[in-house]
């Protein structure tokens, strides 16, 4: 399905829209890139054999179209010809652009504007969920750097921590758990924005790599709900081990590689005396780590039966790939701490 020519065409235009947005020097061209990105993702979401994906595409289109119309309205309202570029260092002008900041947070799905994100993602395939969790966040976050407002970012950060942690509890859909985890990760990305773009980029790269690994695994075994995890891979102990190593790494449990970008942000918060944000980030991230640990403990301990007489083909490529990724996740933090002095 991925190598369908029409899918490849829309995937190319989706990437083109991202590149236009992040390389543009005017707000109108950035808005145009966001629209190309939106109109390319809608056909990728739609599937005539799945009514839920069509419903999700309609929800996504209505939300993003509302945000895009508000963004165009705010651009026309607040920008004149002399301020059509990104020279936005005037404080009074920055306060006027708070509306644009809010609209871009709607596009990313950050709390308290996250109402559409879990429901849309719960109806998508794993490939489209991966696009929604990673690629679709690049352009809005880059634009947020130009209109960054500390009060709005702090408010969204706190709400993302709370809703991302509490919302993931008592969920049976893995896609919903991943969506609430993504909302929690967005709070760390907003925290990284307080300091530098490189810190945000560092966190986003690690988050995208871990998310890609987990989505690749769940897509290969066609897993969408928790009860499938308990049953699917009792005969694949190595893959089962790799699955939960990657999940715990995504949750930020030391000493896995997923803790490394959080470690950098914690160091920046300590050096700049942001103690309250540090406490909130760590406290609510522990809650997200709790349902990952709960998932891991349940899958390893509760259901451990294995049928000796039943032969099941073990995919060698996937098994090897998961073992490599799990080793990187386990030993990556140690290697990073040896070669990089932060």
């Amino acid at each position: 399905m991925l190598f369908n020519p029409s899918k490849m065409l829309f995937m190319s235009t989706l990437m083109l829209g991202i590149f236009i947005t992040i390389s543009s020097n005017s707000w109108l061209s950035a808005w145009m890139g966001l629209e190309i990105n939106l109109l390319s993702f809608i056909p990728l979401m739609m599937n005539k054999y799945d009514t839920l994906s069509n419903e999700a595409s309609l929800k996504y289109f209505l939300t993003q179209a509302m945000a895009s119309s508000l963004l165009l309205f705010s651009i026309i309202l607040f920008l004149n010809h002399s301020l059509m570029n990104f020279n936005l260092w005037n404080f009074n002008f920055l306060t006027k652009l708070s509306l644009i900041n809010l609209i871009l947070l709607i596009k990313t799905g950050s709390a308290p504007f996250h109402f559409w994100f879990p429901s849309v993602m719960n109806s998508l395939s794993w490939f489209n969920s991966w696009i929604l969790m990673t690629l679709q966040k690049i352009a809005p976050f880059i634009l947020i750097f130009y209109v960054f407002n500390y009060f709005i970012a702090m408010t969204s950060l706190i709400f993302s921590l709370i809703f991302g942690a509490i919302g993931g509890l008592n969920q049976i859909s893995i896609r919903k758990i991943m969506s609430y985890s993504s909302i929690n990760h967005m709070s760390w990305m907003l925290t990284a924005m307080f300091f530098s773009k490189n810190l945000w980029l560092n966190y986003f790269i690690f988050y995208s790599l871990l998310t890609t690994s987990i989505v690749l695994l769940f897509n290969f075994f066609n897993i969408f709900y928790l009860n499938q995890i308990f049953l699917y891979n009792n005969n694949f102990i190595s893959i089962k081990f790799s699955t939960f190593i990657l999940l715990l790494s995504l949750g930020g449990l030391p000493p896995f590689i997923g803790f490394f970008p959080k470690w950098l942000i914690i160091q920046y918060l300590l050096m700049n005396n942001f103690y309250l944000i540090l406490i909130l980030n760590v406290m609510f991230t522990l809650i997200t780590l709790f349902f990952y640990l709960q998932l891991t403990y349940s899958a390893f301990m509760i259901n451990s039966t294995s049928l000796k007489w039943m032969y099941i083909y073990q995919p060698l490529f996937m098994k090897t790939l998961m073992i490599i990724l799990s080793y990187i996740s386990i030993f990556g933090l140690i290697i990073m701490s040896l070669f990089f002095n932060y």
Side-chain angles (χ1 to χ4, degrees), residues 44 50 53 121 123-130 175 219 224:
L44 290 174
D50 187 5
S53 63
M121 187 169 158
S123 303
L124 296 178
S125 65
W126 276 119
F127 176 69
N128 290 329
S129 299
W130 172 77
R175 286 171 295 185
N219 181 64
F224 296 99

Side-chain angles (χ1 to χ4, degrees), residues 46-99:
M46 297 182 67
N47 183 1
K48 64 180 180 179
Y49 301 109
D50 187 5
T51 56
L52 289 177
S53 63
N54 295 332
E55 179 187 349
S57 63
L58 182 60
K59 289 180 184 176
Y60 183 79
F61 174 75
L62 291 176
T63 306
Q64 297 295 318
M66 178 196 70
S68 296
S69 60
L70 289 174
L71 179 62
L72 182 60
F73 170 75
S74 59
I75 290 171
I76 296 173
L77 185 63
F78 292 128
L79 298 182
N80 54 34
H81 293 290
S82 62
L83 291 172
M84 193 56 76
N85 54 19
F86 284 139
N87 296 321
L88 305 178
W89 303 112
N90 189 346
F91 178 76
N92 294 326
F93 186 66
L94 276 173
T95 56
K96 294 179 181 179
L97 288 175
S98 59
L99 178 60

Side-chain angles (χ1 to χ4, degrees), residues 178 181 185 206-218 221 232 238-253 256-259 262 288-289 292-293 295-296 300 318-332:
M178 294 290 290
S181 174
H185 281 289
F206 278 93
Y207 162 76
S208 299
L209 290 176
L210 289 171
T211 302
T212 303
S213 304
I214 294 171
V215 167
L216 181 67
L217 183 69
F218 287 152
F221 288 101
Y232 88 102
S238 58
I239 293 180
K240 193 172 195 177
F241 176 76
S242 302
T243 303
F244 297 108
I245 289 295
L246 293 171
L247 280 173
L248 295 178
S249 183
L250 183 65
L253 181 69
F256 302 127
I257 192 65
F259 177 68
K262 289 184 171 64
T288 63
L289 193 58
Y292 281 138
L293 283 170
L295 177 65
T296 306
F300 272 115
M318 181 58 64
K319 186 176 179 179
T320 306
L321 179 62
M322 288 300 107
I323 291 174
I324 292 173
L325 291 173
S326 62
Y327 271 106
I328 293 174
S329 182
I330 293 171
F331 299 108

Side-chain angles (χ1 to χ4, degrees), residues 4 21 28 46-47 49 67 102 117 145 153 178 181 193 212 233 246 248 261-262 275 281 318 334-335:
N4 188 325
T21 301
L28 286 178
M46 297 182 67
N47 183 1
Y49 301 109
L102 291 172
F117 190 70
F145 273 104
M178 294 290 290
S181 174
M193 284 184 170
T212 303
N233 56 3
L246 293 171
L248 295 178
K262 289 184 171 64
Y275 298 116
N281 273 323
M318 181 58 64
I334 301 173
I335 296 172

Side-chain angles (χ1 to χ4, degrees), residues 233-299:
N233 56 3
N234 287 324
N235 294 284
F236 307 139
I237 301 301
S238 58
I239 293 180
K240 193 172 195 177
F241 176 76
S242 302
T243 303
F244 297 108
I245 289 295
L246 293 171
L247 280 173
L248 295 178
S249 183
L250 183 65
L253 181 69
F256 302 127
I257 192 65
F259 177 68
F260 179 69
K262 289 184 171 64
W263 187 12
L264 295 182
I265 294 175
I266 288 171
Q267 283 188 331
Y268 274 89
L269 289 171
L270 286 173
M271 287 189 296
N272 292 276
N273 301 323
F274 286 91
Y275 298 116
L276 179 60
I277 303 177
L278 174 60
I279 293 171
L280 290 174
N281 273 323
V282 173
M283 183 173 64
F284 284 102
T285 302
L286 285 175
I287 300 177
T288 63
L289 193 58
F290 166 74
F291 54 74
Y292 281 138
L293 283 170
Q294 187 180 35
L295 177 65
T296 306
Y297 182 79
S298 301

